[in-house]
Amino acid sequence: MRAPLFLISLALSSAACSDGAEYAETADGTDPQSSDAQALASAGAIATAEARSIAEETDRYDFAYSWPAEAAAEPKLSAYLEAKAKGVREELKEESDEDWDAAQGQEWTPRQHSTSVEWKVVADIPGYLSLSRHLATYSGGAHGMYGVQSLVWDREAEKAMKGIELFTSPVALEQGIGQRLCDTLNKAREKRRGMEVEEGSDDIFDKCPGLDEASILIGSSNGRTFDRISVYFGPYVAGAYAEGDYELDFDVTASVIDAVKPEYADAFSVRG
């Protein structure tokens, strides 16, 4: 099982690493600018004016990491993501090496490990860039894992935050959304399961998870302020693995803004 490679659609040349990895070179033949990019050169770093993509595949692992033009245009954010990519790649390599080294002399061959990360733009408003990180991993078991996380880049402070960090607490945001959270989740569950969620059920997958178990994606419908949020529950959080993940969309209301930290309040508005 392999995770998809998120490569930029360019006319790229290919070359082989000394350890047998195949990788794509920079489109114009120049070296990436950052030190982290140079450290990842053997992993096939691709630097473009509009986006950034890194990929490496060996017999033992398959690695891909990319982020969009909007993130690449922020030098410190791009450097932050470069460092994250390096750490993810090193962890993947270490874990796959452990499996393959342990199998030496055995009558079985480990399955190829994989990790892919793709960052996408959720909202781009004055002062802030909101992104979502789509992760897929596989380490040889019955199935892989996947999930979504959030990142909000404060352009003035040049700081990366999780979406929930714009609010005073997960509990405060949960109270701001109110009963809409559980009602919307249960409607989605019922549609997927083909049966109603039993009120008062002791089944863990019938309960309404708290926002401390969710990723909060911060969105905008007007391009000027944050006026919508998405609550993401990954596999095993709101349902069994086979049931999948849940992403629930909500308009920002006055009660949601009440849960926003004062320093970020001006970035939010009620969706009209």
Side-chain angles (χ1 to χ4, degrees):
M1 176 177 179
R2 297 186 183 181
L5 296 180
F6 303 104
L7 298 179
I8 307 304
S9 297
L10 298 171
L12 302 173
S13 59
S14 296
C17 295
S18 59
D19 64 356
E22 295 182 355
Y23 68 99
E25 298 177 332
T26 53
D28 59 4
T30 60
D31 292 331
Q33 297 298 313
S34 71
S35 58
D36 282 326
Q38 293 172 357
L40 280 166
S42 63
I46 305 167
T48 77
E50 296 186 347
R52 187 86 172 91
S53 182
I54 302 161
E56 178 182 19
E57 182 172 8
T58 71
D59 289 341
R60 297 186 176 191
Y61 62 85
D62 191 354
F63 170 75
Y65 201 106
S66 67
W67 56 96
E70 292 85 349
E74 305 286 341
K76 289 192 176 181
L77 173 57
S78 193
Y80 171 86
L81 295 176
E82 291 269 6
K84 288 290 186 182
K86 181 179 179 180
V88 171
R89 185 254 181 184
E90 289 178 347
E91 182 178 358
L92 174 64
K93 184 178 185 301
E94 181 179 344
E95 291 179 353
S96 62
D97 282 347
E98 286 180 0
D99 269 9
W100 283 70
D101 291 347
Q104 293 296 320
Q106 304 297 318
E107 296 182 354
W108 57 278
T109 300
R111 296 179 179 179
Q112 184 189 53
H113 290 213
S114 65
T115 297
S116 68
V117 175
E118 183 183 22
W119 289 93
K120 298 180 180 181
V121 175
V122 178
D124 187 353
I125 67 171
Y128 299 91
L129 178 63
S130 176
L131 302 173
S132 58
R133 186 191 77 157
H134 299 256
L135 169 71
T137 65
Y138 180 70
S139 56
H143 56 71
M145 278 298 293
Y146 61 93
V148 175
Q149 292 186 348
S150 69
L151 181 152
V152 176
W153 181 251
D154 182 334
R155 289 185 166 112
E156 182 177 354
E158 295 186 314
K159 180 177 73 170
M161 303 170 284
K162 295 179 181 179
I164 193 62
E165 293 181 68
L166 278 67
F167 300 89
T168 55
S169 71
V171 171
L173 177 57
E174 190 173 332
Q175 292 173 341
I177 297 173
Q179 190 59 37
R180 292 186 297 162
L181 176 62
C182 296
D183 288 348
T184 303
L185 174 59
N186 282 338
K187 285 181 181 178
R189 282 167 163 169
E190 290 169 0
K191 183 177 180 180
R192 200 169 294 183
R193 298 174 184 177
M195 58 186 296
E196 290 187 1
V197 175
E198 181 183 349
E199 186 175 351
S201 170
D202 291 331
D203 189 322
I204 188 172
F205 293 142
D206 287 342
K207 296 181 182 299
C208 189
L211 294 190
D212 57 341
E213 299 183 77
S215 291
I216 307 301
L217 309 177
I218 314 297
S220 174
S221 66
N222 57 37
R224 301 184 304 276
T225 58
F226 294 133
D227 65 354
R228 56 177 297 274
I229 60 174
S230 294
V231 174
Y232 176 85
F233 293 117
Y236 294 122
V237 177
Y241 180 86
E243 197 169 308
D245 53 3
Y246 287 91
E247 185 170 338
L248 314 173
D249 297 324
F250 301 96
D251 291 342
V252 168
T253 61
S255 59
V256 168
I257 292 179
D258 286 343
V260 176
K261 290 178 179 176
E263 58 266 38
Y264 304 119
D266 288 345
F268 284 80
S269 69
V270 172
R271 184 170 182 177

